Structure formats: structure tokens, C-alpha cells
Amino acid sequence: MKRRDFVIKSSLAAAAVSSASPGFAYINKYVGSSAPIRIGVIGTGDRGGGLISVMKNIEGIEVAACCDIIPFRLANGMKRAGDSAKAYTDYRKLLEDKSIDAVLVATPFSTHAQIELDALAAGKHVYGEKTMAKGYDAVLDVVDAAQGNLVFQTGHQYHSSRLYTHVVDLIKDGKIGEITAFECQWNRSGNWRRPVPEPELERMINWRMYREYSGGLTAELCSHQIDFTNWVLGETPSQVFGTGGIDYWKDGRETFDNVHHLFSYPSGVEATFTCLTTNAKDDYQIKVMGDKGTIILDYVNGWFYPEGNYTKKRAEVDGVAGATIPWEAGKGIPFEFTHADPSKQALMDFRDAIKNNSKPISDLKTGANTAICVQMAIDSMLKNEVVKWNPKHSI
């Protein structure tokens, strides 16, 4: 029996689209064309609504439709999209619109897989927000369904960041020597809740707090840095251990308010991932540590900190004797690198992949591997045990 025979257990997930996959090969109508790619946004909450505003400023993309089951969220999405966009409360109806070329899926985590499967069956290109899908079977079902000519991009936007791409190239060229460890964090100070105008909307709006719909902090935040670590190393972890708890926000939530993960990779590298909701010190940060130095990254900036004795003076820098090398206390030498906002760059990459019929940078395989790692980490926390990589999950 094919893995696709599964049902997502979520009251937020809709039934499958009845339309069958197109019975003809995909023909790229965008080659040599200046026509904009018409995108339907499914899920117009904070992330989906924010990306609508980003897409409005990207040449070659048109936000053609919005869909959400919460009225005020749909209204906000439509306000951003403009009068020419169509409004839907049922994503299946949006998928039936043959004028829509692609969809951006920004719904609750547990609904990603079914919507992505239905969109692919309807012949739409897919930008699936992170994390790609919830649960091993759902991830592998999406992988099975996306093996065609349609573009499937996973919304790990830092994978599209030109700064991050530059850093990965530097690391692979030996900038920090042999990699020995990663230290990653994404800390915030706040309860992570959204305001709820009506009590009956609690689970819809604050779905991140409930295990039925959510992977918690691991899926929503740590996943970006897990994706980056897999990318740099070119491998997936051999084993994962995670811990955490509901230790501060005693408000009825089911997902942890702090998580701590240790990933062990086959190459011998260890990586830690921490996410707090009680202390925002240093916010978002990745440290890639090697025997010749460390690279530190935040959202849009990077620094190189050399290992060992180091002077801030060189005999010659850019041909100027005795020039002072730029240096920031605690971080080192900043990268002077101009690049687009990662979310904007990711959407530009999605556009280009469709126009060129090419594989996106954050593709099906990288997204699936990260989603599997996320599930391993969640399983480890809930079972309080080390979870080893299952060869059956290799893409």
C-alpha cells in the first residue's frame, strides 16, 4: 500500500481535493514570457499575511487569491493583496481556479501535508512554509507526490539567504578549518501567544500551543537552524536527544515553553539547538565552530572570529600598510556583504525556479530531511530517550 493512504488527524485539516493529477506533462508557459506568476496564499495569518506584503514588492509575482477560515485573518490578507485578488474560505475552491499557477501554504503545521498533496494533485507549484509536514509518514507522502515537474520549495528562507550561501561556501573552502561543533539558539521573551478576539477561536489562533496541530518551538523556530546545520554538513544526524518542558507559562498549553536538543552527526560533529520563551539574550544566533575559527550568524549579519592569537593589525590590508581590520567585540570580523531580506530572496528564488523549471535552493529533499529531524527531536522530548535515524526515512 502506498504511503499516501493516510489521514491527518486535525480538526483544521480539510478533505482532499477531488480533482485528479493532470494527465499530461507539465509545460512551462513562463519560458521567454514576462507574465507574472499568479500565487494563491493559503493561510493569511501573521506569516502568510506578512509574505503577501513581501510578494507585492517582487517583480514577476502576482498575489491572485487569499484563503483563510478565520474571517478577520482573511480580511487582513485581502487588504494586503488588493482588490484584484479573490477571497476563499475553502482552499479546495482556490485550487480549482485554473488561473492560479502556484500556492503558498502558511497554515497550521498539521495541515501542511494534506494541502500540499492536494495542491500538487491540482497541478500547482508549491511553496510550503516550514516545517514541511508533521510526522514521518506525512513527510514521505509529500516526497512521493512531488516527484514530478512541478516546483516544490520549502520555506526555510535562510537556505535562500545569499549571506548564508556565502558562509556555507566559505566553510566548505576551509575558512574555519575542520568543523567541530554548532551552537544554535533562538530565544524570545514572551508567552508566544496571539490575542484571541473570541474564546471559540483559541485553538485556531493559538494552534502552536497544542500538540494536535503543532510541533512547538522545535518545528516553528529550531527547524531553520537544523536545516542550516544539515546543509553545512551535507548529512543528517545519526541520533537526536531532546529535553524541555512547560516550566514557566502555566496557561494550559501543551507544547513546551523551552526546548534543548543535541544532534550527533555521522561525521562526529555535535550540534545543540536551544529555544526559550523566557529570556531573549542574544536572540537568534548560530555559531559554527572549527579548529581555525568560528563563524557567528544572526538573521542578516555574520562575523568571523579567528582561533588562537590574533592581532587586529596586519602589515597590509587592501594595500594599506598598518590598516586596522574591522572588529566587533565578542564577535570578530564582520562580513561586509550586501544581500536581500531572506524571505524576499526565498520568494524570488521560488519565482525563478518556476520560470526556469529548475530545482529550488530549499528543495523537497532538504525540507523533508529537516522535517524528519524535527519529528525525531519531538519524539525524543516526549519519550525522554535518544532517537536514532531510521534508514527508512532516507530521501
Side-chain angles (χ1 to χ4, degrees):
M1 180 178 290
K2 192 174 184 295
R3 286 193 303 257
R4 187 171 177 181
D5 296 330
F6 80 101
V7 177
I8 297 179
K9 292 180 64 178
S10 169
S11 62
L12 297 180
V17 171
S18 59
S19 59
S21 298
F24 50 86
Y26 168 67
I27 300 173
N28 193 342
K29 66 182 181 181
Y30 290 105
V31 173
S33 171
S34 60
I37 295 165
R38 291 171 53 81
I39 295 181
V41 179
I42 303 175
T44 55
D46 291 344
R47 181 61 177 168
L51 291 180
I52 291 172
S53 297
V54 174
M55 286 188 285
K56 293 286 285 184
N57 293 306
I58 297 176
E59 184 179 356
I61 289 179
E62 177 184 348
V63 180
C66 296
C67 179
D68 206 291
I69 60 174
I70 301 176
F72 79 86
R73 286 271 172 83
L74 180 57
N76 289 340
M78 290 298 295
K79 183 177 180 180
R80 294 178 187 229
D83 295 337
S84 62
K86 296 180 181 178
Y88 294 90
T89 56
D90 185 338
Y91 78 86
R92 296 169 295 180
K93 296 297 184 183
L94 182 152
L95 294 179
E96 290 173 1
D97 186 341
K98 297 188 183 303
S99 72
I100 293 176
D101 306 302
V103 296
L104 187 152
V105 180
T107 56
F109 182 29
S110 63
T111 67
H112 286 183
Q114 192 64 64
I115 296 172
E116 290 162 355
L117 289 169
D118 293 341
L120 291 166
K124 311 297 185 187
H125 303 288
V126 176
Y127 184 106
E129 260 300 338
K130 56 82 189 137
T131 298
M132 190 177 90
K134 185 174 187 286
Y136 305 114
D137 288 343
V139 172
L140 297 174
D141 278 337
V142 173
V143 170
D144 283 346
Q147 300 295 334
N149 291 321
L150 293 168
V151 170
F152 189 103
Q153 180 168 327
T154 307
H156 290 292
Q157 68 267 21
Y158 297 104
H159 213 121
S160 285
S161 164
R162 297 305 186 253
L163 169 64
Y164 277 48
T165 302
H166 176 64
V167 164
V168 171
D169 288 342
L170 288 176
I171 292 171
K172 291 183 177 180
D173 287 342
K175 181 74 171 177
I176 62 171
E178 181 178 347
I179 299 172
T180 56
F182 288 75
E183 293 182 1
C184 306
Q185 69 168 60
W186 198 335
N187 293 340
R188 296 178 174 184
S189 181
N191 65 10
W192 208 35
R193 283 192 170 277
R194 303 290 188 269
V196 178
E198 301 172 23
E200 57 268 26
L201 295 178
E202 163 62 20
R203 292 176 74 86
M204 287 186 179
I205 292 175
N206 283 312
W207 58 268
R208 292 176 179 84
M209 305 292 178
Y210 302 100
R211 292 182 187 176
E212 182 180 0
Y213 314 122
S214 172
L217 297 167
T218 305
E220 295 301 310
L221 297 178
C222 295
S223 60
H224 288 295
Q225 297 172 332
I226 294 169
D227 178 70
F228 176 76
T229 304
N230 290 350
W231 176 20
V232 171
L233 295 176
E235 56 185 357
T236 50
S238 53
Q239 65 179 39
V240 172
F241 179 72
T243 188
I246 306 171
D247 300 314
Y248 187 86
W249 302 106
K250 308 293 187 178
D251 56 4
R253 72 183 62 199
E254 298 171 359
T255 55
F256 293 167
D257 59 27
N258 70 99
V259 298
H260 312 264
H261 303 296
L262 174 63
F263 282 38
S264 300
Y265 285 85
S267 59
V269 175
E270 306 289 336
T272 61
F273 304 91
T274 298
C275 191
L276 307 177
T277 56
T278 54
N279 186 302
K281 177 69 170 68
D282 294 331
D283 192 14
Y284 172 103
Q285 184 171 264
I286 295 174
K287 289 182 181 179
V288 190
M289 308 171 79
D291 58 5
K292 293 182 180 178
T294 299
I295 285 179
I296 303 173
L297 292 168
D298 66 16
Y299 301 103
V300 294
N301 300 295
W303 298 263
F304 171 61
Y305 195 100
E307 189 69 10
N309 294 328
Y310 183 78
T311 175
K312 298 178 189 177
K313 295 278 189 180
R314 280 186 185 169
E316 187 172 315
V317 179
D318 297 330
V320 181
T324 300
I325 297 171
W327 185 272
E328 291 187 28
K331 290 185 175 179
I333 306 166
F335 293 121
E336 296 180 359
F337 195 84
T338 301
H339 57 100
D341 171 81
S343 292
K344 183 175 183 178
Q345 186 65 63
L347 291 163
M348 292 164 63
D349 287 346
F350 183 53
R351 172 201 64 192
D352 294 344
I354 293 172
K355 284 185 174 288
N356 300 327
N357 199 24
S358 59
K359 185 173 74 170
I361 296 173
S362 182
D363 66 2
L364 183 69
K365 181 175 181 178
T366 62
N369 281 336
T370 299
I372 289 168
C373 290
V374 164
Q375 191 61 52
M376 290 172 68
I378 293 170
D379 287 351
S380 177
M381 288 191 297
L382 297 180
K383 297 176 182 179
N384 192 31
E385 64 183 26
V386 173
V387 175
K388 296 184 180 297
W389 182 272
N390 187 336
K392 293 180 180 179
H393 297 155
S394 298
I395 308 301

